Amino acid sequence: MTTTMRIALIGTGFMGRMHAHAWRTAPRFFELPVTPVLSVIAGRDADRTAAAAARLGFAESTTDWRRAIERDDIDVVDICTPGDTHAEIALAALAAGKHVMCEKPLANDVATADRMAAAADDALARGAVSMCGFSYRRTPALALARRLLAEGALGEIRHVRAQYLQDWLSDAEAPFTWRLDRTRAGTGTLGDIGAHSIDTAQWLTGDAIVGVSAVLRTFVGSRPVLDEQVGLGGRARQGAPRERVTVDDAAAFTAGFAGGALGVFEATRMATGHRNSNRIEINGERGSVAFDFRAMNELEFYDAADPAGRQGFRRIQANEPEHPYAGAWWPPGHGLGYEHLFTHQAVDFLRAIAGDGDVAPTFRDAARVQRVLAAVEQSAARDSVYVRVDGAAS
Ligand code: SOE
C-alpha cells in the first residue's frame, strides 16, 4: 500500500470546499495510516476551478472529471456534485479501481443506487473502498449516542423523533437552484436533509425502517433565476425569469421500524428562524437521548436507573478525550463545528482504506436510505397510504 492517497475532488461548491478542508485538516490532527494529497480538483468553469485549486490547495485543476479519474496517479475520487451526476462518476471511478467517497443522497432513484451499491460491493472485493457522505454520523455527540444505544443503555427502543428544519427557502423570492430541479436533485428537502434524519435514525437504532405514511408539500411553485447562483442564498433582481420548482419544500412522515419502534420525521426548508436545526430524540424503555445540531457539542441523556429525586436529562458535553473523535482536538469544553464532521469522515475513510476499521455508511447502506425516500414519495403520492419499504427487513 502507498503511504499517500492522491485525491481527485469533483465539484467546487459548498461541499467541494468542505471536503477539501477535511482532506487537508485530517492528517494535521489525527494519526493516519495514509496521508491524503490534494492532487486535482474538477469543476465546470476553467478559471473558477483554477482559482478554487489555488485557494483550496490542490496541485492541479481540470474541467474534465473523466481525465482526472483515468489518471494512474489518483487513488481516491471524491464526488461533491449534484445527485444526477453521482452514478456516472462513481461507476467510472470504481471501474478504474479508485476508492470513492460520494456525497449524499447516493443517487436520485433506487435502481441507480442499487447499481452503485453492486459496483461498490464488487470493487470492495478488489480492495477499493466506497463511502457515502452522511456526515452527521461523525458528530461526536451523535457518535456517543450511537455508543450508548449499542451498549443497550436505552433498552428496547419505542420512539424515534427526528426533525431537520432549515429556512433558506421560506422567502418566495429566494432564487431557484439545482436543488429545486427534480431531474438534478431527485427529490427536494426530503432527499437533501430528510435523508440525513433517516440515515441517523437507522444508524443510531441499528434498526431498519420497514414502512412509512407520508405527506410532501411544495409551498412555492416557481422561483426567480439568478444570473449567477452563489451558495444557497441571494435574491433575484426585479422581473427576473422564474423556473418551476419540481420537488418538495417539506416532508413529514410516520415510520415503522423492524424492531417495533415508532418514528415521526419532519424535514423542511420553510421553518422560519431555523437555519440548520437537525434534531433527533430516541426514547427507550430504560432511557432517552436527545440531540440538536444547534448545540452540536452536547448530548442529552436520560437514564431511568438514576435514583428517584435525581432523575432528569443530563447534558453531556461530548468534548472529553473519552468521547468519539474529540480527543484529537481542543481541551474539553472548547467545542467543535460543522466542518469537523467532514474531517472525521475523511479520517474514517482513510483508516478504512488502510484496513483499520469498517467503512460505513457503505453504498449499500445509502441505497437502503434511498428505498425509504422512495417509499415516502410513493406514500405521499397516494394520500399517505402506508407503503412498505422495498427490501427492508420485516
Ligand atoms: C443544504 O440544505 C445542506 O447543505 C445539505 O445539503 C447538507 O447535507 C446539510 O448538512 C446542510 O444543508
Side-chain angles (χ1 to χ4, degrees), residues 50-237:
R55 176 165 225 171
L56 299 172
F58 282 86
E60 290 174 52
S61 66
T62 179
T63 53
D64 186 350
W65 62 261
R66 282 189 185 77
R67 298 245 346 251
I69 283 177
E70 282 159 9
R71 286 167 52 158
D72 289 339
D73 62 348
I74 291 298
D75 306 297
V76 171
V77 174
D78 183 7
I79 306 169
C80 294
T81 52
D84 61 330
T85 60
H86 287 182
E88 189 182 9
I89 302 172
L91 293 172
L94 291 169
K98 314 299 184 193
H99 305 287
V100 177
M101 168 81 82
C102 183
E103 258 304 326
K104 44 52 62 177
L106 184 63
N108 284 357
D109 58 71
V110 170
T112 308
D114 279 348
R115 268 197 301 132
M116 293 169 75
D121 288 346
D122 289 349
L124 187 60
R126 298 191 302 271
V129 161
S130 317
M131 184 187 275
C132 185
F134 282 110
S135 50
Y136 288 99
R137 289 189 181 207
R138 270 80 196 185
T139 315
L142 279 175
L144 172 63
R146 159 80 181 160
R147 198 183 272 174
L148 290 170
L149 272 115
E151 285 168 1
L154 270 57
E156 182 190 297
I157 305 303
R158 276 118 186 208
H159 290 284
V160 176
R161 211 166 290 111
Q163 294 177 318
Y164 199 148
L165 314 176
Q166 296 184 339
D167 69 353
W168 57 277
L169 286 181
S170 46
D171 179 350
E173 296 308 305
F176 190 83
T177 93
W178 66 266
R179 292 173 193 271
L180 305 180
D181 177 355
R182 192 176 174 79
T183 58
R184 302 203 69 199
T187 63
T189 300
L190 174 64
D192 183 31
I193 56 176
H196 279 302
S197 297
I198 293 165
D199 180 66
T200 305
Q202 296 194 126
W203 165 67
L204 284 180
T205 58
D207 201 0
I209 294 173
V210 291
V212 296
S213 171
V215 282
L216 297 176
R217 286 280 181 284
T218 303
F219 296 106
V220 177
S222 72
R223 291 187 177 271
V225 180
L226 286 189
D227 299 333
E228 190 189 350
Q229 175 73 50
V230 183
L232 296 177
R235 237 169 170 275
R237 63 187 152 73

Side-chain angles (χ1 to χ4, degrees), residues 21 25-26 29-30 140 324-331 335-336 339-340 343-344 347:
H21 172 79
T25 311
F29 287 86
F30 289 81
Y325 307 108
W329 296 102
W330 320 121
L336 302 185
E339 70 276 22
H340 290 85
T343 302
H344 302 159
V347 166

Side-chain angles (χ1 to χ4, degrees), residues 204-278:
L204 284 180
T205 58
D207 201 0
I209 294 173
V210 291
V212 296
S213 171
V215 282
L216 297 176
R217 286 280 181 284
T218 303
F219 296 106
V220 177
S222 72
R223 291 187 177 271
V225 180
L226 286 189
D227 299 333
E228 190 189 350
Q229 175 73 50
V230 183
L232 296 177
R235 237 169 170 275
R237 63 187 152 73
Q238 201 74 23
R242 296 182 83 88
E243 183 87 35
R244 197 162 73 87
V245 172
T246 48
V247 297
D248 56 283
D249 285 328
F253 58 98
T254 55
F257 284 77
L262 172 63
V264 181
F265 292 78
E266 183 187 7
T268 178
R269 294 159 168 165
M270 294 285 198
T272 339
H274 287 277
R275 300 292 193 259
N276 195 45
S277 303
N278 179 5

